[in-house]
């Protein structure tokens, strides 16, 4: 007896499962019933029931279907060999949605409708799965994160909605004043889609919508310590797509977090890997891009790597680290048409931003009031600025702009300046820029010593700053800039991103044309 008890305790302490089960959920199966055994032949009907029952070591396999639930797992795994596993059945599409369809509209005018006795304080309305309506009136994001649009009914316009809490009435003004009955109209009724605890593996789950801004800004998908997320999709969250934190040892691979109201991913914690993921088309709410917006924003992070990430067309930064982050690596990523490609702000040493492609961002790579950052072998083409390293005197804490290294980058066709670098002074010291390639197709490249007026040409920049003594100003002669293939001529391939990353980036661009 003592021996058996010792073995059980040892297994628990080592994270190994003592008992485990495989459960099935299939809400489209006519025999599905939460009172049944949850077997393949007699599956459960709801994910919420599985989330109540599953314990360490168990696997929940979900058959294809749309699950209109807020799924919160009651238990956690206990170790790498005793994780709770939530997986879509192979080849099947599993969608958890926080949205419910709205019908029974009362027509008030051309394209103008109302739904009485609507109990949910809906913070988003989605038309045909792809068109979010503009929210009218006050809501929890006002005024810090987002401007208020109008006050009430009288301020509605085609493509907007308003919820009257007093009368519990939902109003919509359809885009182009089209009839509501011609379209699928869905409104947010659940705050989130999926919440998992520690030591949980999630694979192949799609989450749609959310109503988090009713109470805050948390993610429509939240995870904790030691979680692994693979092949998942989060879209049309009303605020954040995926949120963790503070959490340790989180891995996210091959997943997409697109079309979120504020930001695709937000994290706090350490020992985090984001690999082969995408965060694009986020911040459709047009919240303040200086607050919490864009492809991803992480704060208070340590030892976090972002690799082969794609971030396109975000109203905000594609990748953003803010406040006391350190030991960060951003590499082999593609950033296209964001307000900022990569932003590193008020943070600490031992961070490397390397081998990335920034194309058409208003600002390619921006390191603000941070120290010990190496920015190397990046290709920044188009937009207003290529590279910006600036020291700001900030009341919320200042680590200065010190011991940053800029080398082997390629900056071309940047309208305002190829490089902005704060000069030596009380807030900036020991920063270096050299062995870079700069090019402007309309004349000399532009450089800015901090916020001072720009100087034209590399020679003038060297004389003023003492920087870039071995850098080059020349036409890189890209292989096919219009197609996004930014491979320079042979003699300039020691600058910018590697040929392999440039080829990968071009393939990603072509796939989206």
């Amino acid at each position: 007896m003592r021996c058996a008890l010792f073995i059980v305790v040892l297994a628990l302490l080592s994270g190994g499962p003592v008992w485990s089960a495989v459960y099935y959920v299939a809400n489209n199966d006519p025999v599905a019933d939460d009172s049944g055994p949850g077997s393949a032949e007699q599956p459960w009907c709801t994910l919420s029931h599985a989330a109540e029952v599953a314990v360490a070591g168990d696997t929940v396999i979900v058959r294809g279907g749309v699950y209109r639930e807020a799924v919160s797992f009651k238990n956690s795994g206990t170790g790498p060999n005793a994780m709770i596993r939530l997986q879509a059945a192979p080849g099947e599409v599993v969608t958890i949605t926080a949205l419910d369809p709205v019908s029974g509209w009362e027509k008030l005018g051309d394209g103008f409708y109302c739904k009485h006795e609507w109990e949910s304080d809906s913070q988003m309305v989605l038309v045909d799965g792809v068109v979010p309506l503009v929210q009218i009136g006050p809501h929890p994001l006002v005024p810090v994160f987002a401007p208020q649009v109008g006050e009430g009914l009288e301020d509605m316009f085609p493509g907007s909605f308003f919820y009257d809490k007093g009368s519990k009435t939902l109003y919509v003004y359809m885009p182009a004043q089209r009839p509501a009955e011609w379209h699928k109209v869905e409104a947010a009724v659940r705050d989130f889609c999926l919440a998992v605890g520690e030591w949980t593996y999630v694979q192949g789950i799609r989450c749609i919508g959310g109503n988090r801004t009713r109470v805050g800004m948390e993610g429509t998908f939240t995870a904790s310590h030691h979680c692994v997320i693979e092949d998942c999709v989060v879209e049309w969250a009303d605020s954040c797509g995926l949120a963790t934190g503070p959490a340790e040892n989180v891995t996210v691979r091959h997943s997409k977090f697109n079309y979120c109201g504020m930001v695709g991913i937000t994290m706090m914690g350490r020992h985090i890997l984001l690999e082969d993921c995408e965060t694009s088309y986020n911040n459709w709410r047009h919240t303040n891009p200086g607050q919490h917006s864009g492809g991803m924003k992480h704060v208070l992070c340590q030892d976090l790597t972002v690799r082969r990430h794609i971030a396109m067309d975000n109203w905000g930064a594609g990748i953003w680290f803010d406040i006391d982050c350190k030991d960060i690596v951003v590499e082999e990523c593609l950033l296209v048409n964001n307000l900022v490609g990569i932003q590193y702000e008020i943070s600490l040493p031992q961070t490397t931003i390397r081998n990335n492609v920034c194309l058409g961002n208003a600002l390619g790579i921006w390191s603000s009031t941070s120290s010990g950052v190496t920015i190397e072998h990046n290709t920044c083409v188009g937009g207003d600025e290529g590279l910006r390293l600036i020291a700001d005197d900030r009341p919320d804490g200042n680590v200065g702009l010190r011991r940053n290294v800029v080398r082997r980058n390629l900056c071309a066709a940047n309208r305002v300046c190829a490089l902005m670098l704060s000069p030596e002074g009380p807030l900036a010291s020991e920063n270096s820029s050299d062995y870079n390639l700069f090019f402007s197709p309309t004349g000399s490249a532009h450089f800015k010593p901090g916020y001072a007026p720009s100087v034209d040409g590399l020679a003038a920049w060297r004389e003023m700053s003492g920087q870039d003594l071995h850098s080059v100003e020349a036409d890189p002669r890209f292989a096919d800039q219009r197609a996004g293939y930014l491979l320079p001529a042979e003699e300039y391939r020691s600058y910018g991103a590697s040929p392999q990353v440039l080829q990968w980036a071009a393939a990603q661009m072509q796939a989206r044309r």
Side-chain angles (χ1 to χ4, degrees):
M1 180 67 181
R2 289 184 179 179
C3 181
L5 180 61
F6 174 76
I7 291 172
V8 170
V9 172
L10 182 63
L12 288 170
L13 291 175
S14 65
V18 181
W19 298 280
S20 63
V22 177
Y23 298 114
Y24 291 81
V25 180
N27 66 355
N28 286 327
D29 192 321
V31 302
D33 191 332
D34 285 347
S35 65
S39 63
E41 296 77 19
Q42 295 177 282
W44 290 328
C45 187
T46 68
L47 279 167
S48 296
H49 181 70
E52 282 287 319
V53 174
V55 296
D58 288 348
T59 297
V60 178
I61 297 176
V62 190
R63 300 297 303 272
V66 176
Y67 294 80
R68 299 187 185 277
E69 307 177 50
V71 182
S72 181
F73 274 74
K74 177 181 178 180
N75 301 303
S76 295
T78 56
N81 298 315
M83 300 182 81
I84 292 178
R85 303 176 73 87
L86 174 66
Q87 299 174 243
E92 301 192 28
V93 178
V94 174
T95 300
I96 305 173
T97 179
L99 310 177
D100 275 357
V102 187
S103 60
W105 293 105
E106 177 184 334
K107 186 174 181 179
L108 303 177
D110 289 344
F112 191 26
Y113 297 82
C114 72
K115 172 68 175 179
H116 297 292
E117 298 181 4
W118 188 256
E119 297 293 333
S120 177
D121 182 10
S122 299
Q123 299 296 304
M124 70 173 292
V125 174
L126 193 64
V127 177
D128 294 332
V130 294
V131 180
L133 301 186
V134 176
Q135 186 173 9
I136 300 297
H139 57 83
L141 297 179
V142 175
V144 176
F145 294 99
Q148 181 174 321
V149 179
E151 292 289 341
L153 285 176
E154 66 280 3
D155 298 313
M156 292 186 69
F157 52 85
S160 66
F161 81 96
F162 171 69
Y163 180 64
D164 187 332
K165 294 182 183 180
S167 66
K168 295 185 178 180
T169 304
L170 179 66
Y171 295 88
V172 298
Y173 204 156
M174 295 293 290
Q177 299 178 275
R178 295 190 294 265
E181 56 268 23
W182 292 3
H183 301 273
K184 181 175 72 172
V185 180
E186 296 176 291
V189 297
R190 289 170 288 278
D191 290 342
F192 66 96
C193 290
L194 179 61
V196 298
E198 299 180 15
W199 293 107
T200 301
Y201 175 82
V202 183
Q203 187 271 329
I205 304 298
R206 182 172 181 249
C207 296
I208 304 295
N211 213 33
R212 282 292 199 186
T213 49
R214 184 183 66 84
V215 292
M217 297 186 303
E218 294 84 355
T220 201
F221 181 176
T222 58
S224 188
H225 304 286
H226 309 290
C227 283
V228 178
I229 299 165
E230 294 185 329
D231 305 310
C232 290
V233 173
V234 177
E235 293 180 330
W236 300 111
D238 69 318
S239 56
C240 304
L242 172 67
T244 68
E248 297 186 4
N249 299 299
V250 177
T251 298
V252 185
R253 292 192 182 99
H254 308 293
S255 297
K256 296 183 179 182
F257 307 89
N258 297 339
Y259 303 104
C260 296
M262 296 176 66
V263 63
I265 305 174
T266 184
M267 291 183 163
M268 296 173 59
R270 59 182 182 171
H271 312 315
I272 298 169
L273 173 64
L274 300 172
E275 190 171 58
D276 296 304
C277 294
E278 179 175 355
T279 53
S280 296
Y281 319 110
N282 294 297
N283 197 15
W284 48 260
R285 282 184 176 274
H286 279 74
T287 58
N288 185 344
Q291 290 285 348
H292 204 78
S293 64
M296 64 172 73
K297 182 177 182 181
H298 310 305
V299 299
L300 301 173
C301 284
Q302 180 180 351
D303 183 24
L304 189 156
T305 295
V306 183
R307 181 180 297 122
R308 290 187 301 276
H309 188 83
I310 299 171
M312 296 185 177
D313 296 288
N314 293 289
W315 182 255
I319 298 173
W320 185 2
F321 292 90
D322 191 12
I323 307 176
D324 291 344
C325 295
K326 65 178 180 178
D327 301 323
I328 306 299
V329 176
V330 181
E331 61 185 3
E332 303 174 14
C333 299
L334 173 62
L335 300 308
V336 181
N337 294 337
N338 306 287
L339 296 187
V340 182
I342 301 169
Q343 184 170 348
Y344 193 76
E345 184 176 8
I346 328 174
S347 288
L348 303 166
Q350 298 178 344
T351 284
T352 301
I353 301 171
R354 65 185 172 216
N355 206 12
N356 301 289
V357 178
C358 298
L359 179 60
N361 305 284
L363 202 167
I365 299 174
W366 180 9
S367 180
S368 173
T369 317
S370 297
S371 296
V373 181
T374 298
I375 301 173
E376 61 184 0
H377 284 287
N378 300 285
T379 296
C380 298
V381 176
D384 291 332
E385 298 181 42
L387 304 173
R388 178 194 286 187
L389 289 87
I390 199 73
D392 291 313
D393 189 4
R394 302 184 56 134
D396 54 352
N398 176 38
V399 295
L401 188 77
R402 312 184 196 284
R403 300 176 299 282
N404 297 289
V405 177
V406 180
R407 63 191 176 206
R408 292 292 177 185
N409 300 286
L410 192 161
C411 299
N414 311 117
R415 289 183 292 270
V416 176
C417 68
L419 171 65
M420 176 191 289
L421 178 61
S422 286
E424 293 282 312
L427 298 178
S429 61
E430 302 179 69
N431 301 297
S432 67
S433 176
D434 207 357
Y435 296 98
N436 302 295
L437 187 151
F438 303 105
F439 173 65
S440 172
T442 60
S444 298
H446 307 300
F447 302 86
K448 287 178 68 70
Y451 294 115
S454 63
V455 297
D456 294 339
L458 183 57
W461 170 245
R462 286 172 176 160
E463 183 176 353
M464 169 181 283
S465 66
Q467 302 281 2
D468 288 294
L469 300 182
H470 302 91
S471 294
V472 174
E473 186 170 5
D475 185 351
R477 305 198 304 280
F478 293 125
D480 191 348
Q481 184 173 345
R482 294 182 66 126
Y485 191 26
L486 303 176
L487 181 70
E490 183 71 36
E491 62 267 35
Y492 299 126
R493 290 184 187 172
S494 62
Y495 304 99
S498 69
Q500 293 82 3
V501 168
L502 293 169
Q503 187 174 21
W504 168 79
Q508 300 303 317
M509 295 287 292
Q510 286 297 311
R512 287 161 172 76
R513 290 183 184 274

